[in-house]
Amino acid sequence: MIVVHLVIVVNELYYIVGKLKSDCVIGAALVEDEELPADSLEDMAHFLKRTYFKIQAVDSDLLKSKLKLGAHLSKANERFLMLKRKQRLDVTWKKWIECNTSISFAYAKRMIQVNKLVQEYKGLGNLSISFNELFRLRNKITTFFRQMQ
């Protein structure tokens, strides 16, 4: 029964990783499919602005997908620790996540850290920034909100 739960968690993680990969491909196609207009500065500005907003929207969707992955990883980590104790397994989260999901421990850790940040400060998940930018700013965000309290 416990092994079945671990398999379900792993399958959920594979689905999300596949979804993230397809989102990245869609985002890359936004820029490659269209040619930069050469006729006027106004047309170029409009094109660049439209492309920029499309990419921001994709980044926002990708952020939401990565936050979902972070939530799943966070939950999987909790379940892993519980099942590890219950079954008295001699395997670390790092070894398990890397061997069973093809997700590096460092990547999983980043996902979990940002998920915790967004759980604490709910509005962050609605920002139009990339996951990497949110991860990079996490300490400044935490410091800012703690000073506000």
Side-chain angles (χ1 to χ4, degrees):
M1 180 75 153
I2 294 171
V3 172
V4 172
H5 289 293
L6 287 174
V7 169
I8 291 170
V9 170
V10 169
N11 286 337
E12 289 174 344
L13 292 174
Y14 274 121
Y15 169 78
I16 291 170
V17 169
K19 175 79 173 112
L20 289 173
K21 286 180 182 174
S22 68
D23 283 350
C24 290
V25 171
I26 291 167
L30 288 173
V31 176
E32 294 174 11
D33 288 347
E34 299 180 53
E35 290 292 322
L36 177 69
D39 298 339
S40 75
L41 292 175
E42 185 179 325
D43 289 345
M44 279 194 314
H46 179 70
F47 170 84
L48 293 171
K49 189 175 187 179
R50 189 178 72 242
T51 303
Y52 175 70
F53 286 134
K54 284 180 185 179
I55 291 170
Q56 279 188 316
V58 169
D59 276 349
S60 180
D61 288 345
L62 187 56
L63 173 62
K64 288 179 175 91
S65 294
K66 286 186 174 187
L67 292 174
K68 286 180 188 175
L69 176 60
H72 287 301
L73 284 165
S74 208
K75 198 177 290 186
N77 187 2
E78 291 170 13
R79 288 181 187 170
F80 169 83
L81 294 172
M82 180 190 71
L83 294 171
K84 177 183 172 179
R85 271 180 261 145
K86 194 180 275 189
Q87 294 181 358
R88 297 181 185 192
L89 299 174
D90 188 30
V91 64
T92 63
W93 165 252
K94 179 181 179 180
K95 182 146 179 103
W96 183 85
I97 197 75
E98 289 180 345
C99 292
N100 292 286
T101 67
S102 300
I103 298 172
S104 76
F105 174 72
Y107 184 83
K109 186 176 176 180
R110 281 193 309 271
M111 294 288 145
I112 291 170
Q113 286 175 337
V114 172
N115 175 63
K116 287 179 182 176
L117 182 68
V118 171
Q119 292 304 310
E120 189 171 350
Y121 308 110
K122 300 285 186 197
L124 294 176
N126 298 324
L127 294 175
S128 292
I129 64 173
S130 70
F131 177 87
N132 290 337
E133 192 172 354
L134 185 56
F135 178 75
R136 192 173 38 79
L137 294 172
R138 73 191 185 287
N139 292 331
K140 289 181 180 179
I141 291 168
T142 302
T143 301
F144 173 78
F145 282 115
R146 288 194 179 142
Q147 288 175 349
M148 297 297 289
Q149 293 177 345

